[in-house]
């Protein structure tokens, strides 16, 4: 793609009397076919339009992430309701099943995003949510079926969920400008965090239904939460806009008028022309560029190492808290405290990153805080103070991945085209799911209840992630410094 760099003088819009002008003729020829020549809008119009986006696009994407995490994470709550005995599996087989789920996500992540790029988010994401909702519901009926049925449903759940997270991140980048994305990435992950925060509380209530209609509590949990996912899928298919250029749903429902549609595309185009999707497929060069981009390695290593050290807690946190002499079902509710803290810290990280226009330092700060807390936890696991161990565990969960959405935004903003951004987001989420594969085997039955080996592994992974984060920040600073010295100004890396 040719044309002026996103931060160059040709991208500057004329501002007179509060009116913003965007001239398509200043943009690359590949996007000149868009059905407008010149779009003007006032600051109040843009503000109203962004609020409408926040009321239409973001709630649906966050709701999808909410039910994804409920259906993925409720397995940890099921463990506290005799899940092993009811299904007929061991803890090792349980861990393997979780690994297969993450493997399913990882294997189909890029193919899913290639389909998304071709047919759009409204159709593809809606069908995805419906598919995993059905799997999540029917996994309630694996009682007594053993390891084979359990592992098959976990793999299918992961395969159906694959692509949702990068699809959501890519869609946000297409509807919002650069200065708006980190905050919206944070709101997108709000759905994930809200599910974690509410999941324990919901489980605490539903698991008491054991015995009703002859079903176990965990069976009721899978059925109720799976059917909720199907409802979200229906809302997505009915309401979600096809694209910023064509903001109408699959059923023809339009919440944006023609003028708003033109402004939607024009303002994103003026902000960063690499976000314009001029074709329905990712080119071979874009795919190759994303797959061979060595600058992404730092983001990937941080995601794999730091997330694997934290994700391991999400499944076993209720069981760990129960080992601190708290009640079996009560532990589900107690763990949710950390997730409510995580909501606040994650939204704050996204807001500050956008306001400051610096993503790398915010990622580094979050990773550093997490590392300090893991060191503190490793030092007290042999003490008798259950309240102190519970407090540190809650704080670890509360800061576990507040930096992760900002890391995704940081990586996305340094992509050079819409196609490359789509593949890059798939790679980014694949790395997060690879972290899940690693995390699934960190906590072993023979290491309980102190889990000394597990916490040592968690600390080691956090340390590697911290070093990688420092090097990634340094990398972009050195690249921009080199470009300034050589007079290269076609692309400015976002710090």
């Amino acid at each position: 793609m040719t044309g002026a760099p996103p931060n160059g003088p040709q991208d500057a819009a004329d501002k007179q009397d509060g009116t913003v002008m965007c001239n398509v003729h200043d943009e690359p020829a590949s996007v000149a076919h868009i059905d407008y020549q010149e779009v003007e809008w006032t600051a109040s119009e843009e503000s109203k339009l962004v609020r409408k986006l926040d009321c239409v696009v973001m709630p649906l994407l966050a709701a999808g992430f909410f039910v994804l995490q409920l259906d993925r994470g409720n397995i940890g709550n099921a463990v506290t309701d005799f899940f092993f005995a009811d299904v007929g599996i061991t803890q090792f087989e349980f861990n393997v099943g979780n690994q297969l789920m993450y493997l399913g996500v990882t294997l189909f992540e890029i193919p899913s995003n290639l389909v998304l790029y071709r047919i759009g988010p409204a159709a593809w994401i809606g069908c995805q949510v419906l598919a995993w909702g059905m799997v999540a519901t029917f996994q309630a009926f694996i009682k007594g079926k053993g390891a084979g049925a359990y592992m098959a449903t976990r793999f299918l759940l992961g395969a159906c969920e694959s692509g949702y997270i990068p699809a959501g991140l890519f869609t946000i980048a297409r509807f919002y400008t650069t200065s708006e994305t980190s905050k919206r990435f944070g709101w997108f992950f709000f759905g994930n965090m809200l599910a974690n925060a509410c999941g324990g509380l919901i489980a605490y209530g539903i698991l008491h239904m054991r015995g009703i209609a002859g079903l176990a509590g965990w069976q009721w949990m899978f059925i109720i939460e799976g059917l909720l996912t199907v409802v979200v899928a229906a809302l997505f298919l009915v309401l979600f806009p096809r694209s910023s250029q064509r903001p109408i749903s699959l059923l023809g429902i339009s919440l944006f008028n023609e003028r708003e549609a033109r402004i939607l595309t024009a303002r994103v185009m003026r902000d960063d022309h690499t976000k314009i999707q001029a074709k329905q497929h990712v080119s071979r060069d874009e795919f190759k560029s994303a797959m061979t981009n060595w600058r992404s390695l730092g983001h990937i290593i941080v995601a794999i190492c730091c997330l694997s050290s934290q994700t391991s807690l999400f499944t076993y946190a209720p069981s760990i808290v129960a080992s601190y002499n708290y009640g079996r079902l009560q532990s589900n509710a107690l763990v949710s405290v950390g997730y409510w803290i995580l909501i606040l810290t994650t939204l704050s990280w996204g807001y500050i990153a956008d306001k400051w226009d610096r993503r790398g330092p915010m990622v580094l700060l979050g990773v550093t805080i997490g590392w300090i807390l893991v060191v503190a936890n490793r030092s007290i696991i042999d003490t008798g103070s259950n309240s102190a161990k519970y407090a540190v565990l809650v704080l670890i969960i509360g800061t576990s991945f507040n930096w992760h959405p900002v890391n995704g935004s940081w990586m996305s903003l340094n992509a050079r085209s819409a196609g490359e951004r789509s593949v890059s987001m798939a790679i980014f989420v694949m790395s997060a799911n690879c972290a899940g594969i690693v995390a699934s085997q960190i906590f072993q039955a023979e290491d309980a209840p102190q889990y000394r080996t597990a916490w040592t592994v968690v600390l080691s992974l956090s340390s590697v992630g911290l070093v990688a984060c420092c090097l990634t920040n340094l990398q972009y600073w050195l690249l921009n410094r080199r470009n300034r010295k050589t007079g290269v100004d076609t692309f400015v890396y976002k710090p």
Side-chain angles (χ1 to χ4, degrees), residues 350-365:
Y351 177 80
I352 295 171
D354 274 348
K355 197 77 173 176
W356 186 22
D357 198 25
R358 293 290 186 276
R359 281 97 190 156
M362 292 303 299
V363 175
L364 179 59
L365 177 61

Side-chain angles (χ1 to χ4, degrees), residues 6-33:
N7 298 323
Q10 293 183 28
D11 284 320
D14 296 325
K15 295 186 178 180
Q16 297 176 348
D17 301 324
T19 300
V20 181
M21 180 181 294
C22 176
N23 194 330
V24 176
H25 294 302
D26 291 338
E27 298 300 331
S30 59
V31 297
H33 68 279

Side-chain angles (χ1 to χ4, degrees), residues 294-303 407 468-469 472 475:
W294 60 268
R295 293 175 295 276
S296 299
L297 287 176
H299 299 279
I300 294 170
I301 294 172
V302 171
N407 190 28
C469 191
T472 305
Q475 156 192 291

